[in-house]
Amino acid sequence: MFMKRSFDQILIREYWSRYKKFGSTPMGSFWLSKKRQERRFKIIIDEIKKLKKTHFVELSDIGCGYGALAKYIKVSEDIRIGKYTGYDVNKDLIGVCKKEINEKWADFKVGSKPDRTTMFAVMSGTYNLAATKNIFNWEKYVEDCLSNCWDRTLAAMIFNVQVSKEARISKENIYYAEKPRILNFCVSSFGPTKLVEHNELPNDATFVVLKV
């Protein structure tokens, strides 16, 4: 528990410092470009569309930052969300979301997991910036966060991470996961898991974990 609180505080500081420098832009959340950011969003939304069984889609966005996914959904013709809730450990970023996004279907709360059961829990880039150079501790943190979200997920949990042949944390503190390890963890801890990759994102992997 201490490690989680410590890591959360580091992330709060790092993301807010970044936001103050670049504002509500992809760079403001450590994304390289809007194109890459939105490609990841589209992959997530496409997977939700394949799985949804009703016209009402409820989505919890964990690590929502300045609300980029909510803004993408607002202008997207791909899907209509009945209820969206964005969560972030940074209360200042949640304040930004509430100020900039005024939609009846959208809500924003401080937290690292849904505060109630949700149809879909999604995390886009949420675990890319590591709060430590210790790969073991960071992966334990990520696994604990995923488990907490899974406990409140009804249909599927969808998240993406940077990937490499071997798990590592770069000098810029970017976390690169080992695909087989993440896949094995999800299957053994949660259930059936689908791996999605895209040729425009060669160092990315999206994992779709299904409730059965």
Side-chain angles (χ1 to χ4, degrees):
M1 182 61 72
F2 174 77
M3 183 173 69
K4 184 181 186 309
R5 288 199 301 268
S6 176
F7 285 178
D8 284 349
Q9 289 302 314
I10 293 171
L11 295 173
I12 287 168
R13 183 173 65 250
E14 290 297 320
Y15 275 102
W16 187 239
S17 175
R18 183 79 172 189
Y19 179 83
K20 286 192 293 184
K21 184 175 182 179
F22 294 103
S24 297
T25 67
M27 290 281 288
S29 281
F30 292 92
W31 292 101
L32 290 178
S33 70
K34 183 176 181 180
K35 181 179 179 181
R36 291 170 62 86
Q37 181 190 54
E38 293 191 347
R39 170 54 66 186
R40 293 175 177 89
F41 291 163
K42 179 167 174 49
I43 290 171
I44 289 172
I45 295 302
D46 285 349
E47 292 303 314
I48 291 175
K49 286 168 60 180
K50 295 173 186 176
L51 295 169
K52 72 184 183 74
K53 298 179 180 179
T54 67
H55 292 297
F56 181 89
V57 174
E58 183 185 38
L59 184 157
S60 291
D61 179 14
I62 313 302
C64 64
Y66 64 87
L69 177 56
K71 293 177 180 179
Y72 175 84
I73 291 170
K74 179 181 176 180
V75 300
S76 174
E77 298 181 355
D78 286 345
I79 197 169
R80 291 291 175 262
I81 300 294
K83 178 64 177 177
Y84 164 100
T85 307
Y87 296 87
D88 202 284
V89 295
N90 191 314
K91 64 180 179 60
D92 293 312
L93 286 174
I94 291 298
V96 169
C97 293
K98 290 181 175 180
K99 181 179 179 181
E100 295 186 354
I101 304 169
N102 184 22
E103 300 293 331
K104 291 181 178 179
W105 47 264
D107 191 16
F108 299 92
K109 300 179 180 182
V110 176
S112 59
K113 63 183 179 182
D115 63 352
R116 55 187 169 78
T117 55
T118 183
M119 193 179 299
F120 294 96
V122 306
M123 308 84 160
S124 185
T126 302
Y127 309 118
N128 284 355
L129 181 68
T132 175
K133 292 290 189 183
N134 186 308
I135 189 71
F136 175 84
N137 287 344
W138 184 247
E139 292 195 322
K140 180 65 169 62
Y141 171 86
V142 172
E143 290 170 0
D144 287 348
C145 289
L146 291 173
S147 296
N148 289 335
C149 293
W150 180 250
D151 288 342
R152 297 185 178 180
T153 300
L154 297 176
M157 178 170 69
I158 306 173
F159 66 96
N160 55 48
V161 291
Q162 300 278 333
V163 292
S164 182
K165 185 173 293 186
E166 294 183 355
R168 62 185 178 89
I169 295 173
S170 74
K171 64 180 181 180
E172 295 84 12
N173 273 45
I174 301 302
Y175 167 55
Y176 289 84
E178 183 183 350
K179 279 186 293 186
R181 185 185 183 283
I182 298 295
L183 186 60
N184 289 339
F185 169 76
C186 289
V187 171
S188 62
S189 301
F190 310 130
T193 303
K194 174 183 177 183
L195 175 62
V196 181
E197 297 177 283
H198 195 282
N199 58 11
E200 291 182 8
L201 302 169
N203 296 321
D204 269 48
T206 299
F207 296 84
V208 183
V209 192
L210 304 175
K211 283 275 187 175
V212 294

